[in-house]
Amino acid sequence: MTPQELAAQLARILAEILEARGGGETVAVTEADTAVERPKNREHGDWASNAAMKFAKRVGANPRELAQQIAEAVAALEGIAKAEVAGPGFINITLDAASAGETARRIVEQGEAYGRSELLAGERINMEFVSANPTGPLHLGHTRWAALGDSISRVLRAAGAQVTNEYYINDAGAQMDKFGRSVLAAALGEPAPEDAYPGEYIQELGKKALAAIPGLPDLAMTDRAAALAAVQEAAYQQQLAEIKDSLDRFNVHFDVFFSERTLHAPGPGGEPSPIEAAIDRLREQGHVFEADDAIWVRTTDYGDDKDRVFTRGNGIYTYFAADAAYYLSKKDRGFGEKIYLLGADHHGYVGRLTALAGAAGDNTETDITVLIGQLVNLNGARLSKRAGNIVELDDLLEWLGSDALRYWLARYPADSPLALDGEKLRSRTNDNPVFYVQYAHARSCAVDRNAVAAGIDRSAFEPALLTHETETELLGKLQQYPGIVAGAAELREPHRIARYLEELAASFHRWYDNCRVIPQGDEPAGDLHRTRLWLNDASGQVIRNGLDLLGVSAPERL
RNA sequence: GCCUCUGUAGCUCAGGGGAUAGAGCGCCGGUUUCCGGUACCGUAGGUCGGGGGUUCGAAUCCCUCCAGGGGCACCA
């Protein structure tokens, strides 16, 4: 029996009791109200509920007395060994071994599906993250969002949502022009312009542009503007391709790369550009006004701290105007919730983006979510462009590997600042959690291999035999997994998966140390060994499922 | 100045109002001739930044103060 099933039973029982006490008046009780917890103390049973304390006041009852009534009904359920009242009104529930052990078979049978749910079924979610300018390689500053965003997306999908991963390419505007001039100068061997992008990669892009565009030096002499345009475009495509390659190596996959340029471009028949159309739509809604020779949007109507401009004095659209058109594009493409994953250096955007959703006629509570993540540093050094000590994602992948990097970046809440220690990520002992978890998986695979050789198979399953303390503990952990995934999806916190996997791996190692699957010495193989093989395989399966949600591999050997 | 995040063991950090606040590392001490010891077990280590409040119950929610990170563009 899983904790969710237990919670559902509890909710039913509690509702009946409250109805009887209230003279037939129904009281709504949800599974969330009766969610059970794994007590820290083993003497408090397998699962504990505080539902009696929560509801006692509401119905004017004595908590312990109400708990007692619930406990008696729970104890009568099939699969329950005992249910006791403790402390101020906790209900401590112990499953019988067979009921608890049944989980092992269920996990093996469900395989990859174990942990998936329909919690968010029917929801269409747009998940935008990374969105780094295509003017240079991805670096550590982007990696946290890449790892986190992709994992959130995987977790949401596991909860049944339909998610589109989207990367917004800032391929319009001054930064691109600067990028083009930088690469052109590099291609022609000219000194770098005053404000040029620094970095060796500019030289590389210059060489590639020179090779790709025949007669570039001549063209630059006769028509500088044409040469610049050609180089800029070639370098942009090259850089974007390299970014995609890096993300691919990082096991991060986008469904849509959305070009900002398309928002500025008029339609084929001269129709207004998406930006113009967006401004018109917002104007029709009464959110747009003109002042000081500029077009404004009244975001203060939706809680922003100041109104924002759509056009600069020179008539050019601001970045925010493109944001507005982009938001409307997402809305028009049928997405309900739009999630933005931004770095803490962009937290000032939360107010205006949220207001934009409101102005677009969306619900600012449910249709937009802006997740703000704190910044990362590695070995004590902040890795920012400004400081000049960029560490490129490709270098990090080569040094640390995708698995270690993804795992470490995903194992902390987004709002917690993160300090990575490069040596720790490389270590192959249990001070490196990714290794510890992967080792548990590899170990379960080793047991499988040995079981085959020893003639142990899954032809018998007697869950009532799984009575060792470490087996009860391991089964409890395995039962928690679906709830962990659901919670991670609801809260958009994939680090819960990582923390859970570390606990699961610890339970697995402890069990392995105490309970043998392969008989020792002359001991004959029995149903206990065969049943334990199910438990071993179930553990490996859950670790595999969990690591997949983090985009981390589960090798069979290390 | 305003907004925002953070403050928990020596270090890096978990902890969705519940029972005696946890993990890893580090320190000290142990363990199975045999399924991978890359593991497991144990000891020590805490004014949960300070102070108020809400609650039967607060590391958790609210207020305030202190300290640190980030942000406050007709830039992108």
Side-chain angles (χ1 to χ4, degrees), chain A residues 252-313:
Chain A
V252 172
H253 307 292
F254 285 92
D255 303 299
V256 175
F257 282 83
F258 194 100
S259 161
E260 182 190 350
R261 280 182 192 171
T262 62
L263 299 172
H264 293 267
E271 298 90 347
S273 70
I275 291 180
E276 290 164 334
I279 294 175
D280 285 344
R281 279 166 71 178
L282 295 174
R283 184 181 281 120
E284 285 165 22
Q285 300 301 312
H287 303 307
V288 172
F289 65 98
E290 305 199 4
D292 307 327
D293 290 329
I295 299 174
W296 295 70
V297 56
R298 193 169 283 112
T299 50
T300 49
D301 284 350
Y302 294 93
D304 197 6
D305 53 359
K306 60 180 85 162
D307 290 328
R308 306 289 168 177
V309 288
F310 276 157
T311 56
R312 284 146 50 188

Side-chain angles (χ1 to χ4, degrees), chain A residues 176 179-180 227-239 261:
Chain A
M176 282 301 286
F179 173 63
L228 178 61
V231 165
Q232 184 171 317
E233 188 61 20
Y236 161 41
Q237 296 304 340
Q238 175 66 31
Q239 186 59 64
R261 280 182 192 171

Side-chain angles (χ1 to χ4, degrees), chain A residues 166-195:
Chain A
E166 199 151 316
Y167 184 121
Y168 181 56
I169 315 166
N170 298 129
D171 55 3
Q175 294 301 315
M176 282 301 286
D177 295 341
K178 185 167 115 179
F179 173 63
R181 287 196 304 276
S182 304
V183 177
L184 178 61
L188 299 174
E190 296 172 355
E194 185 82 2
D195 61 343

Side-chain angles (χ1 to χ4, degrees), chain A residues 542-554:
Chain A
V542 173
I543 293 174
R544 207 148 54 234
N545 291 0
L547 285 175
D548 184 61
L549 294 179
L550 301 177
V552 175
S553 71

Side-chain angles (χ1 to χ4, degrees), chain A residues 139-141 376-378 381-385 387 389-391 396:
Chain A
H139 55 80
L140 182 65
V376 194
N377 72 60
L378 178 62
R382 173 79 45 71
L383 297 154
S384 70
K385 264 184 185 167
N389 51 0
I390 304 172
V391 172
L396 291 168

Side-chain angles (χ1 to χ4, degrees), chain A residues 127-199:
Chain A
M127 178 79 211
E128 185 202 329
F129 58 110
V130 184
S131 297
N133 285 356
T135 55
L138 297 177
H139 55 80
L140 182 65
H142 304 116
T143 58
R144 187 173 192 182
W145 320 134
L148 201 53
D150 186 61
S151 295
I152 290 174
S153 170
R154 287 167 187 252
V155 166
L156 291 173
R157 284 172 179 153
Q162 190 183 335
V163 186
T164 295
N165 284 357
E166 199 151 316
Y167 184 121
Y168 181 56
I169 315 166
N170 298 129
D171 55 3
Q175 294 301 315
M176 282 301 286
D177 295 341
K178 185 167 115 179
F179 173 63
R181 287 196 304 276
S182 304
V183 177
L184 178 61
L188 299 174
E190 296 172 355
E194 185 82 2
D195 61 343
Y197 277 99

